[in-house]
Amino acid sequence: MPESTDHLTHVEAIKPPAGFLERHPSTPFLADFEEYKKLYRQSIDDPETFFGNMAREHLSWSKPFDQARYPPGTGFQNGDAAAWFLGGELNASYNCVDRHAIANPDKPAIVYEADEPGEGRVISYGELLKEVCQIAQVLTALGVKKGDTVAVYLPMIPEALVTLLAIARIGAVHSVVFAGFSSGSLRDRINDANSKVVITTDESKRGGKAIETKKIVDEALKSCPQVHNVLVFKRTGNQHIPWTDSRDLWWHEEKQRYPPYVAPTPVQAEDTLFLLYTSGSTGKPKGIQHTTAGYLLGALLTTKYVFDVHPQDVLFTAGDVGWITGHSYVVYGPLLNGATTVVFEGTPAYPNYSRYWDVVDQHKVTQFYVAPTALRLLKRAGSSHVEKHDLSSLRALGSVGEPIAPEVWEWYNEHVGRGKAHICDTYWQTETGSHIITPLAGVTSTKPGSASFPFFGIDPVILDPTTGEELTSTVAEGVLAVRSPWPSMARSVWGDYNRFLDTYLRPYPGFYFTGDGAARDKDGFFWILGRVDDVVNVSGHRLSTAEIESALIEHPLVAESAVVGFPDELTGSAVAAFVSLKHKNLEDVAETKKELVITVRKEIGPFAAPKLILLVNDLPKTRSGKIMRRILRKILAHEEDQLGDISTLSDPTVVKHLIQVVHENF
Ligand code: WTA
């Protein structure tokens, strides 16, 4: 379990920045924290009325819903998640695009900031509607029907948003695979979702380098016999990309066959909008399944209330569309609110460490949202990069994906926000769909390092990890769970509802289990303390240690491996792999370690590569053969005096050997 949290008692809350309202575009959505508390109470006591009203007010329905929540009431009844807005019909692309295009066709929907500065462009809501309609018709012509999944392997370009919205427009289901994943991971996800069409680019550009995207897709498709078409957007125009005439089609050639409008296909509120694969405790990634209306409402309301997004705002979420942050806060949240979203293709370091601030300054960004790992990098690069820019347009600064250390919070506040922007440390997960514990900009007092208070409809509890009992005292520490369903929570794991229940709803009956540890301080602030399962967050990427172990086993020399996370100054956590080999007395240890790293890069993707490989004779196992990763974590942290009870190990002498290897290498 996480460290002791006694020190939290002394952290004082900081009021919303005094300068926040100076640049505010209109009346704030909420007058103050008292109003938040009032609405929050309603959302918990009577979610049906609260979310029913919100859904009627904020979403456009082609058929009104009959019942806001089923079954009515509160809580996880019969141990299942609830269904929302039954009887209602709507379309996600209509809600994101048409209604704003009709009202204001020339308004910028997307500001595309290309990898190379100056090569971007602005896309209006009217243009976006046309593109979405044309690609929707291309997909229909390729045989994609309502309910079918379409795999998306695209970099951060406007066409990624067009693709998602086009898929949603015909009632199909998008399944985005982060373009940093290897061909093997892409193949597994395409097959698990049984996608028959894949959308990608010829190449991608990132940090000045070209990435062979189409080649990776082709490699994956060698083992995906059901895929009959690949739609390829020409990003770089490199002539030398692999091509299969009978299967591959150019985006620009297909698009121009179709007129600029096609009507959206209405879907049921609970129809699936998308799948997004995420890592869990076991090696097999889970296709987290989100439904249409509930997800849209969550993305819309959090964007609006957490970041205080008004239609005239420009939101810059520096996350990738391959992860949930990109889905909810690059695509759906900003567009549902009729705001402008920045689509950033590059990296924070290219062409230099000023890049983010150039974008903020140039496009007068009002909300900026990023993972602490990027902030650590930029803080280290020096404040001079920030200081030469006019960042006075910023009102809210978001943080996501991992706890933000107080000194990074302070740097963000002082150098980027200049004391006038509200820092929102947003806690949530792929499975929650949208923020669940977070400050509301302009409203909630903050404490650096705390995600503060729950969003509307979220009833968080802290449970004793062993007994599962709720810890009701204000000051508490345990595992974080939620007492009642909310509209944007995941409904299933694709094709495996039982796994959904086993992972989230059965570990602590009556609650949704987050997999994170948390503490609540004397003022009721929530502090997220990190995963309590075998998931590691590296640079904001969520990795499963079991998945990395399965990758390592692919190397012919590996007998066994155990992967754990360890703290890293820059990436938050880093991956360490303890590996035992089939043959000892290796001639070239360095070469073997290199090969093992390459194996992981190839099997999963470069972002999962272990930072540390430790070749060991044996791993610490219980008599029943279970690897005790806790011991490995302690040894890595040089806390060998706190190993706890090691008498259950089948061979306790292995500990001495492990300590020696760690001391020699780390
Ligand atoms: C972690 C990312 C601390 C947490 C949106 C969670 C955080 C996992 C925070 C989900 C935060 C996310 N403070 N930890 N503000 N936000 N996490 O699914 O461990 O990629 O369970 O979603 O990230 O990662 P995922």
Side-chain angles (χ1 to χ4, degrees):
M1 265 307 284
E3 62 195 89
S4 159
T5 43
D6 295 347
H7 63 285
L8 301 181
T9 323
H10 308 295
V11 183
E12 288 304 321
I14 304 164
K15 288 209 165 52
F20 180 84
L21 285 176
E22 280 168 23
R23 285 156 291 129
H24 203 272
S26 62
T27 321
F29 299 128
L30 296 175
D32 52 21
F33 195 65
E34 288 310 307
E35 193 183 355
Y36 152 77
K37 282 204 293 203
K38 204 175 98 208
L39 285 174
Y40 174 71
R41 237 324 96 217
Q42 286 172 9
S43 74
I44 298 299
D45 294 343
D46 185 1
E48 214 180 323
T49 307
F50 180 87
F51 286 111
N53 289 340
M54 286 289 183
R56 268 184 292 268
E57 185 188 334
H58 289 90
L59 294 175
S60 302
W61 299 83
S62 50
K63 181 165 172 269
F65 52 88
D66 303 315
Q67 189 169 11
R69 191 198 125 123
Y70 177 82
T74 59
F76 290 95
Q77 297 172 21
N78 308 317
D80 290 310
W84 296 84
F85 316 116
L86 289 187
E89 290 183 3
L90 75 173
N91 180 279
S93 86
Y94 181 89
N95 275 275
C96 289
V97 189
D98 299 45
R99 55 184 186 158
H100 312 305
I102 293 164
N104 210 345
D106 297 331
K107 183 172 178 190
I110 296 172
V111 168
Y112 168 42
E113 185 65 30
D115 189 47
E116 214 54 61
E119 287 185 0
R121 65 182 199 280
V122 175
I123 295 136
S124 69
Y125 272 98
E127 289 167 311
L128 181 61
L129 177 61
K130 178 178 166 190
E131 289 262 318
V132 168
C133 285
Q134 288 178 310
I135 297 301
Q137 293 170 89
V138 171
L139 293 173
T140 302
L142 296 181
V144 180
K145 294 195 184 57
K146 195 171 177 173
D148 289 349
T149 67
V150 178
V152 179
Y153 191 72
L154 285 169
M156 284 297 289
I157 51 176
E159 289 70 21
L161 282 70
V162 171
T163 295
L164 267 49
L165 296 163
I167 294 168
R169 194 166 190 86
I170 60 172
V173 175
H174 56 75
S175 174
V176 182
V177 181
F178 172 56
F181 272 115
S182 67
S183 59
S185 299
L186 174 61
R187 172 202 61 212
D188 292 348
R189 286 155 177 77
I190 293 173
N191 286 338
D192 188 77
N194 191 26
S195 303
K196 300 189 175 104
V197 171
V198 181
I199 306 185
T200 190
T201 47
D202 52 352
E203 293 186 309
S204 315
K205 283 280 303 285
R206 235 179 146 242
K209 293 194 207 89
I211 301 154
E212 298 176 300
T213 315
K214 177 66 166 53
K215 203 169 149 194
I216 298 171
V217 170
D218 277 35
E219 187 61 36
L221 294 187
K222 284 184 183 159
S223 313
C224 306
Q226 79 284 8
V227 172
H228 54 71
N229 287 111
V230 182
L231 187 64
V232 187
F233 176 77
K234 192 180 273 186
R235 170 62 187 88
T236 66
N238 185 340
Q239 306 286 321
H240 307 288
I241 61 156
W243 197 262
T244 305
D245 278 333
S246 57
R247 183 194 66 193
D248 302 344
L249 301 157
W250 283 114
W251 169 291
H252 60 276
E253 287 176 4
E254 296 307 308
K255 189 181 87 164
Q256 50 86 27
R257 296 178 201 272
Y258 299 97
Y261 181 78
V262 67
T265 304
V267 303
Q268 302 274 323
E270 281 284 320
D271 279 348
T272 302
L273 176 62
F274 69 87
L275 308 182
L276 187 57
Y277 283 83
T278 190
S279 301
S281 301
T282 67
K284 193 174 181 294
K286 299 182 285 246
I288 298 297
Q289 193 174 337
H290 279 287
T291 56
T292 303
Y295 170 80
L296 292 180
L297 188 64
L300 188 154
L301 292 180
T302 48
T303 304
K304 173 172 169 158
Y305 288 104
V306 174
F307 294 141
D308 185 51
V309 168
H310 292 248
Q312 53 272 66
D313 284 336
V314 181
L315 182 85
F316 175 12
T317 295
D320 196 282
V321 76
W323 307 113
I324 191 70
T325 302
H327 281 61
S328 300
Y329 302 106
V330 177
V331 187
Y332 288 107
L335 297 180
L336 284 163
N337 281 287
T340 301
T341 187
V342 175
V343 173
F344 179 57
E345 190 179 22
T347 78
Y350 182 80
N352 56 54
Y353 291 107
S354 290
R355 191 66 196 275
Y356 280 164
W357 322 124
D358 286 338
V359 176
V360 171
D361 190 347
Q362 192 185 339
H363 302 292
K364 300 294 160 232
V365 167
T366 42
Q367 287 86 3
F368 175 67
Y369 190 27
V370 78
T373 189
L375 296 173
R376 284 192 293 269
L377 180 80
L378 296 170
K379 177 172 180 279
R380 189 191 270 190
S383 308
S384 59
H385 293 283
V386 193
E387 268 142 25
K388 54 182 190 256
H389 293 87
D390 176 10
L391 305 182
S392 62
S393 53
L394 290 168
R395 298 203 311 278
L397 295 173
S399 170
V400 60
E402 49 179 322
I404 177 166
E407 65 275 13
V408 178
W409 195 103
E410 297 292 357
W411 182 84
Y412 204 18
N413 186 38
E414 202 176 304
H415 294 275
V416 183
R418 301 178 187 165
K420 290 184 166 184
H422 199 142
I423 309 256
C424 300
D425 177 359
T426 63
Y427 167 74
W428 60 299
Q429 311 175 297
T430 305
E431 296 87 340
T432 68
S434 50
H435 304 146
I436 64 166
I437 299 183
T438 173
L440 308 183
V443 172
T444 313
S445 293
T446 43
K447 294 186 184 187
S450 160
S452 78
F453 299 104
F455 191 69
F456 302 135
I458 307 295
D459 190 359
V461 292
I462 294 185
L463 306 177
D464 179 300
T466 332
T467 63
E469 236 164 86
E470 183 183 347
L471 303 174
T472 50
S473 55
T474 307
V475 176
E477 185 179 328
V479 293
L480 182 64
V482 184
R483 195 194 316 272
S484 197
W486 63 100
S488 74
M489 75 174 280
R491 300 293 193 273
S492 187
V493 168
W494 184 250
D496 200 348
Y497 185 58
N498 204 39
R499 187 167 176 208
F500 175 77
L501 296 177
D502 277 347
T503 314
Y504 306 108
L505 298 183
R506 284 185 187 139
Y508 298 100
F511 299 100
Y512 165 86
F513 174 48
T514 60
D516 283 302
R520 193 168 45 216
D521 70 15
K522 65 179 194 321
D523 302 319
F525 280 72
F526 283 88
W527 299 73
I528 309 302
L529 304 173
R531 302 290 307 197
V532 294
D533 55 8
D534 295 323
V535 170
V536 197
N537 273 323
V538 179
S539 297
H541 299 314
R542 180 168 157 182
L543 301 171
S544 136
T545 54
E547 213 178 332
I548 301 172
E549 288 165 7
S550 326
L552 285 165
I553 284 288
E554 295 294 316
H555 191 284
L557 271 181
V558 174
E560 251 185 331
S561 77
V563 168
V564 293
F566 67 100
D568 182 88
E569 208 196 318
L570 207 56
T571 58
S573 294
V575 169
F578 291 79
V579 180
S580 71
L581 300 173
K582 286 177 188 157
H583 314 291
K584 314 285 162 191
N585 300 329
L586 278 169
E587 285 178 5
D588 195 342
V589 171
E591 189 55 33
T592 307
K593 287 186 180 181
K594 216 155 101 197
E595 274 181 31
L596 294 175
V597 171
I598 292 171
T599 304
V600 177
R601 292 174 70 97
K602 213 169 110 253
E603 290 292 320
I604 304 175
F607 61 95
K611 182 164 180 184
L612 190 62
I613 300 239
L614 298 153
L615 299 180
V616 295
N617 295 335
D618 203 356
L619 295 167
K621 277 180 260 168
T622 60
R623 280 181 210 104
S624 59
K626 194 173 173 319
I627 296 172
M628 292 182 79
R629 292 187 180 72
R630 178 180 58 85
I631 291 182
L632 298 175
R633 274 191 287 266
K634 286 280 175 201
I635 296 178
L636 263 186
H638 294 295
E639 290 172 356
E640 17 324 341
D641 51 333
Q642 298 166 37
L643 291 182
D645 183 12
I646 56 165
S647 64
T648 52
L649 287 176
S650 64
D651 173 14
T653 62
V654 72
V655 170
K656 211 169 139 209
H657 162 68
L658 291 169
I659 292 172
Q660 193 192 338
V661 175
V662 168
H663 276 263
E664 280 166 11
N665 289 276
F666 180 54

